[in-house]
Amino acid sequence: STDIVNHVLQEADIESHIRVYPWARAFHIAKRMPNTLIYSVAKTPERESQFHWLGKVAYFRLGFVSLTQRDDIKINKFEDAKAYRIAVQRGDISALYLAEKQFAIVETTDIKQSYQLLISKKVDLVIDDPQYINSMSQHFNLAPTQLSFIKAIDDLSVYGYLAANKDTDPQLIKRLQKAFEIVEKTSWYQQKLLNPYYNIEAFND
């Protein structure tokens, strides 16, 4: 995603500074500060009017992740997960989605804190994309086989976008939109955006 964003900014000849914040704080800043971009943000009906949507920078197949050793966790259908405590990041789409469906969620500031709760067995599951399991394993000095991706959730299979604050300079928006149109036509962009392994089994709720 950052590679795509940097290519778009270069094409638009715009200087920027990328900072990483907990998701809820990043979202708050992007909604209130003109000339601010945010990524990778899901384009939900509730959010659609809150930003200028510039283009897709990621594709997520979010689903349940557990510790492999937890052979007591049995999830054969989506509703089975209601029996378990699930760590989610405050304000993200998985938190909103599972709360609406009355799952037992524990909100955290970021994905690392969610995994910390999982590893310490304070929660039973986290919501993540399988492509990030290896990096989380490395971060916590675990073997990748110690974490298991159970199954994706169809409703949480979404594109992540680069979006801009609604009060951003209109000329900047035009430059970014034009730059994105150029970048997204390249084969490089298509290879970055999608990954062939995404044809994985999913719960269809």
Side-chain angles (χ1 to χ4, degrees), residues 18-31:
I18 296 177
R19 295 182 174 88
V20 180
Y21 297 106
W23 180 251
R25 184 179 173 195
F27 196 81
H28 177 83
I29 292 170
K31 280 180 64 177

Side-chain angles (χ1 to χ4, degrees), residues 30-94:
K31 280 180 64 177
R32 286 161 177 75
M33 189 178 294
N35 299 339
T36 301
L37 306 177
I38 183 172
Y39 70 98
S40 305
V41 57
K43 188 178 181 181
T44 64
E46 297 79 15
R47 294 172 176 173
E48 193 157 2
S49 64
Q50 298 175 348
F51 297 98
H52 294 286
W53 298 90
L54 300 170
K56 300 169 183 173
V57 296
Y59 181 62
F60 300 111
R61 285 284 270 163
L62 300 176
F64 298 118
V65 177
S66 70
L67 293 174
T68 305
Q69 65 180 242
R70 292 289 305 274
D71 54 9
D72 58 308
I73 295 176
K74 308 292 183 186
I75 304 177
N76 297 312
K77 59 183 187 297
F78 179 66
E79 291 290 317
D80 291 343
K82 283 190 172 181
Y84 305 106
R85 285 164 56 85
I86 307 167
V88 290
Q89 290 73 251
R90 186 175 298 111
D92 80 0
I93 58 167
S94 60

Side-chain angles (χ1 to χ4, degrees), residues 182-198:
I182 293 170
V183 171
E184 68 184 357
K185 290 177 183 176
T186 64
S187 59
W188 174 88
Y189 170 82
Q190 295 297 329
Q191 290 169 356
K192 283 283 186 183
L193 187 64
L194 294 175
N195 193 310
Y197 87 94
Y198 280 118

